[in-house]
Amino acid sequence: MNGMEPQVIDDFTWRVGGPQGGGIETAATLFAQVLARGGWWVGARREYHSNIMGRHSYLDVRAARRPTRAFFERVDLLAALDAETLARHLDEVKPGGVLVYDPDAARMPLSKLPMLDGAAYKRIAAALGGGDPVLERALERYRESDVRLVSLALEPLAREVGEAVGADAITAKKTLNTVAVAASLALLGYPLEFLDAALADQFAAKPKVAELNRKVAAEVYRRVEPLADVALEPIGSPGERIYINGSHASAMGKVAAGLGFMSYYPITPATDEPFYLEAHPESGVVVVQVEDELAAVNMAIGASMAGARAALTTSGPGFALMTEALGFAGLTETPLVVSLYQRGGPSTGLPTRTEQGDLRFALGAGHGDYPRAVLASASVEDAFADAALAMNLAARFQLPVVHLMDKYLASTTRVIEPFDTGTVVPDPGVVATDAKGVFPRFSLAAEGGVSPRIPVGTPGAGYWITSDEHDEIGHITEDPELRDAMMEKRAAKIEALRKWLGPEEMYRTHKPEAGTLVLGWGSTEGVTLEAMEGLDMGYVQVRFLLPFPDLEALLEGKRLVVLEYNQSGQFAHLLAQETGRKPDHLIVKYNGRPMTIEEVRAAFEAVLSGEAEAYTVLRAGV
Amino acid sequence: MELKLADYKSDLAPDWCPGCGDYGILSALQTALYKLGIEPSRAVLVSGIGCSAKTVHYAATYGIHTLHGRPLPVAQGVKLANPELTVVAMAGDGDGMGIGAGHFVGVGRRNPDLLYLIFNNEVYGMTKGQASPTLELGAQPKSLARPNLQSKVNPLMLAFASGFTFIARGYAYDVKNLARLMQQGIEHKGLAMIDILQPCPTYNNLHTREWFAPRVYDINAEGYDPRVPREMSDAERAERMARFTLKATEWGERIPTGVFWHADLPSFEERLGTFLPGYPKTAPSTRPPGGESERARALMRGHRVAK
């Protein structure tokens, strides 16, 4: 952004940091909406602590001329709403980028930041030359990396501007987020009318608040001088585009596939889905918050047995509690979908950070052998399509389906073209239409292991369901021949499911002819594709982990790289087990922060140049 | 076609021990369903694990034999998916008061329209007679290596604390009265619980049929009125709570049975109906298929960048 002529911007990242609960999420949503209205493809990611109020939180909003699915380590503009943001994001603004900060914050010594933990304090103090540095030193550090400093006392500005347009002091202070967004947009020269329209929309239910914020925005624009060499302009119209995160997309996919019942116990980051459906009764979904995950899973199983299309969302700790019932669903051939939002484990681990540490758990959860399907979504678009597919697979093959999501997908919001809901047709599965009297619910005359089904309560018929091994009408059996027949009938579903899906649903490729192939699953696809642009590499996104696609021919003679978010290389192990191929390079990350485009690019370049080790750990992120 | 009592009996012969209280409970349940004229295919019985859990296989209704401790969540799932069905959940005392006790509290807070039976014999029969959560402190039935070191939980008091709206106790060998209690419990609009005293002839040599027979009595026959209307003064309510507590904790020379508490609160289905358009008529298992795509599009409209 140096030089005097305004530069054409193709790709721009705005970061806003501040205390959790202080409204920075509202600010980021507003910023994203304003750019989206101007035709930009926007993506926003959210990083936060397991805390209600006060701990450091930040969001990146990336706007580009083309759809993007990943984020950079270094941003173009950092709006620091508090002193801690100033301290934590050293070295994360691009040379030539902009830092908007409060001059009062820069006068604080590091030791006075109330929420800064000991490890971060030590690291930042050392980076700033030791002692108890005053944050002026942080400003010097930004300046040294060619960051332009814009001193703007946002809080006093909010108060002053708010009062100038007639609000009392407390109300005026609440406009801080609007002030931060307006100041950033004014600096970038983005037209006010888009902000004005977005504010009118954001506060549509509260006309007085909308009016105040619009006046405040206009006043900030009058006071803030645009940067001479930057011009962020609208590039088109948003048309029908939607702005949506992975949780809501997953909920929507399930609804399109006929979801009728969801029970849940609150857990981060999985609860957004049921919480969203609770707020939208037009979804037609019975949502029940229950006493624990045992109740959640068993209630959904009961609803499914009675004919409702049922699903759950949870994350690692909750899934651990559900495993006994998952086997119950497997044995009783009950359709059930669990969207498993992975977060940093083990145990409580990193509850608000991302990871792909539950793959092996999802594949093996529960005692005994029973068929299940496991698929992983890579994006918001996948979340919709996969949630719907999972519902249909569960219904068609009468088994539990684990739909792997993660915290990154849950809390990353993107502008995308609307989902084509017409492409989703709820699959009724194999239904018996003439059931009378005692019904062989678990009939061994079952094509692909699937016995025709009627829900419990179907008039004029009856059968039993038991968690014991059972006969065709559902009574308990310990007969050795029946046991074998039932085990074999259920096991047959996996091959039937594989055939029904076809290879095109099970994986997708990008430049598969390249000599070096990266393999990934879940949310690594976006960052991988962007990081490998221009490099002589191809990519394989494995969508189904169980059943596993037949990849042997595709991988023949290739150098293989696996990229995933866990310490042990869970997917790499699975790949070796399924294909006999051990990857040449394993690149992992487990600090809970999303992979950045820069670090993945560097790791790929090292692979291509021959400098990479067999095992590389990525460590970027705040 | 006229329904007969035999229509509620399955072809499977029970494999309970001779003299087991479970026979009486099964018979009472079949009688209650028959007397209420409930089509067998419109009733769903849901059990947990243990001797009590086999009950569902001996009735010619739909039967779901779930996991240890989990009949209540499964039963609620069935009921909320299809509120037109008659749902009866049942559990042993270990199942219901031990491993599944969390659900007991949870269901009480919701008040769904179902009947819950506790088969209370104070021991874990299927695993050879360990102490159950309803066994008294210090008691030592014959299979225990040492006296019970834990105090007992009182299902009636826990049901009361959890918000159950119909609380009763029956006796497995008094099939006639037990069937009557079950009938009332099924007819009750909301959550009904019957704590059923059920001697285990194999492992509980302390509380046998002979021990119970002279002790059990019917509180309603003695004039105890369990009804608690929705509208009443605080003083009246306090008096009824005190009266309930005295009866629910009586245990020894006299053991009360009958209906202890019969309150009137909106069921969970009614509560859901105030938020979900058309529920229970639009319940997921009873609504006609179709409209899924429209529902997803309705959600999507809220996400449009330009409204």
Side-chain angles (χ1 to χ4, degrees), chain A residues 166-222:
Chain A
D168 62 76
I170 294 168
T171 314
K173 210 180 151 187
K174 284 186 185 162
T175 63
L176 175 66
N177 296 302
T178 301
V179 170
V181 172
S184 300
L185 290 167
L187 278 170
L188 299 167
Y190 197 79
L192 171 63
E193 64 198 80
F194 290 86
L195 174 57
D196 191 61
L199 281 169
D201 197 50
Q202 187 164 32
F203 297 112
K206 300 173 186 167
K208 277 190 169 172
V209 181
E211 198 194 339
L212 170 67
N213 280 277
R214 291 166 71 183
K215 281 183 177 171
V216 164
E219 187 60 26
V220 170
Y221 261 70
R222 266 193 286 281

Side-chain angles (χ1 to χ4, degrees), chain B residues 103-175:
Chain B
H103 306 313
F104 190 85
V105 176
V107 73
R109 295 175 48 225
R110 283 186 281 273
N111 196 39
D113 187 11
L114 50 85
L115 170 64
Y116 185 39
L117 309 175
I118 300 272
F119 292 38
N120 186 351
N121 63 11
E122 306 171 343
V123 293
Y124 285 80
M126 196 75 99
T127 51
K128 314 283 182 229
Q130 296 80 7
S132 99
T134 53
L135 183 68
E136 245 171 308
L137 174 65
Q140 189 175 13
K142 63 184 178 188
S143 63
L144 256 62
R146 62 184 190 191
N148 182 24
L149 300 183
Q150 306 183 54
S151 298
K152 71 172 184 181
V153 65
N154 180 330
L156 303 177
M157 294 299 286
L158 189 60
F160 181 68
S162 307
F164 281 64
T165 46
F166 180 100
I167 302 170
R169 182 190 278 144
Y171 177 49
Y173 286 110
D174 183 359
V175 175

Side-chain angles (χ1 to χ4, degrees), chain A residues 54-387:
Chain A
R55 297 292 305 268
H56 180 62
S57 171
Y58 71 94
L59 291 101
D60 280 5
V61 182
R62 180 181 178 194
R65 287 174 190 268
R66 55 170 189 163
T68 65
R69 282 161 50 187
F71 293 87
F72 292 105
E73 193 166 331
R74 293 189 157 199
V75 302
D76 296 284
L77 195 159
L78 169 61
L81 299 195
D82 66 354
E84 187 169 335
T85 303
L86 209 54
R88 277 196 186 259
H89 296 268
L90 301 173
D91 307 328
E92 294 208 321
V93 183
K94 283 180 193 161
V98 179
L99 170 71
V100 177
Y101 71 99
D102 183 337
D104 281 346
R107 284 189 274 277
M108 285 178 79
L110 197 60
S111 60
K112 291 285 184 241
L113 306 187
M115 291 287 178
L116 193 67
D117 56 274
Y121 176 85
K122 275 186 206 155
R123 193 168 54 246
I124 297 165
L128 294 177
D132 181 21
V134 173
L135 290 177
E136 296 283 4
R137 299 236 297 264
L139 295 184
E140 284 163 30
R141 174 78 170 247
Y142 285 105
R143 227 179 261 122
E144 282 160 20
S145 21
D146 280 334
V147 174
R148 284 181 290 174
L149 307 188
V150 176
S151 162
L152 210 52
L154 292 170
E155 215 174 294
L157 188 65
R159 211 164 33 235
E160 196 189 318
V161 171
E163 284 171 15
V165 299
D168 62 76
I170 294 168
T171 314
K173 210 180 151 187
K174 284 186 185 162
T175 63
L176 175 66
N177 296 302
T178 301
V179 170
V181 172
S184 300
L185 290 167
L187 278 170
L188 299 167
Y190 197 79
L192 171 63
E193 64 198 80
F194 290 86
L195 174 57
D196 191 61
L199 281 169
D201 197 50
Q202 187 164 32
F203 297 112
K206 300 173 186 167
K208 277 190 169 172
V209 181
E211 198 194 339
L212 170 67
N213 280 277
R214 291 166 71 183
K215 281 183 177 171
V216 164
E219 187 60 26
V220 170
Y221 261 70
R222 266 193 286 281
R223 295 176 182 214
V224 175
E225 193 69 24
L227 298 166
D229 58 344
V230 187
L232 189 65
E233 285 171 346
I235 56 170
S237 146
E240 301 286 306
R241 287 175 201 163
I242 57 173
Y243 183 59
I244 190 168
N245 67 26
S247 303
H248 297 168
S250 174
M252 224 175 268
K254 293 186 180 88
V255 169
L259 179 69
F261 190 91
M262 183 178 276
S263 34
Y264 77 102
Y265 185 78
I267 189 165
T268 305
T271 308
D272 286 352
E273 216 180 303
F275 206 58
Y276 169 77
L277 291 172
E278 272 183 355
H280 292 278
E282 69 271 25
S283 67
V285 181
V286 173
V287 184
V288 188
Q289 183 187 332
V290 297
E291 56 274 14
D292 54 32
E293 279 92 352
L294 308 169
V297 64
N298 284 287
M299 204 177 281
I301 288 171
S304 182
M305 287 170 171
R309 294 168 80 94
L312 302 159
T313 70
T314 190
S315 70
F319 191 65
L321 293 177
M322 292 179 178
T323 54
E324 186 193 17
L326 207 67
F328 178 45
L331 180 83
T332 59
E333 310 193 43
T334 304
L336 180 72
V337 170
V338 185
S339 286
L340 170 53
Y341 285 81
Q342 300 165 96
R343 64 187 216 188
S347 192
T348 307
L350 297 173
T352 63
R353 310 293 178 174
T354 204
E355 194 165 274
Q356 297 178 316
D358 299 346
L359 174 57
R360 288 168 80 85
F361 184 29
L363 294 171
H367 53 286
D369 283 324
Y370 61 90
R372 78 191 81 182
V374 179
L375 78 166
S377 288
S379 62
V380 171
E381 293 90 334
D382 263 11
F384 174 83
D386 291 351

Side-chain angles (χ1 to χ4, degrees), chain B residues 154 156-157 160 169 217 219 224 238-252 254-257 260-261:
Chain B
N154 180 330
L156 303 177
M157 294 299 286
F160 181 68
R169 182 190 278 144
Y217 73 99
I219 54 172
Y224 179 99
E239 188 273 326
R240 273 160 215 254
M241 286 165 72
R243 201 167 70 182
F244 169 86
T245 307
L246 284 174
K247 278 294 171 207
T249 53
E250 183 180 5
W251 186 269
R254 275 164 65 80
I255 297 177
T257 64
F260 290 64
W261 188 260

Side-chain angles (χ1 to χ4, degrees), chain A residues 201 241-243 256 276 281 283-284 291-292 299 303 306 308 419 421 457-458 460-461 463-468 474-475, chain B residues 41-42 56-57 59 62-66 70 73-74 77-78 103 110 275 284-285 287 292-293 295 297 300 303 305 307:
Chain A
D201 197 50
R241 287 175 201 163
I242 57 173
Y243 183 59
Y276 169 77
S283 67
E291 56 274 14
D292 54 32
M299 204 177 281
F419 301 123
T421 56
T458 301
Y463 60 84
W464 296 268
I465 297 175
T466 172
S467 60
D468 283 64
H475 282 321
Chain B
S41 66
R42 303 300 278 164
V56 304
H57 290 279
Y62 284 93
I64 307 177
H65 173 190
T66 72
R70 313 300 158 219
V74 174
V78 170
H103 306 313
R110 283 186 281 273
F275 293 97
S285 302
R287 68 188 176 205
E292 296 85 3
S293 192
R295 289 197 285 273
R297 272 204 297 279
M300 202 155 61
H303 294 267
V305 170
K307 302 285 176 340

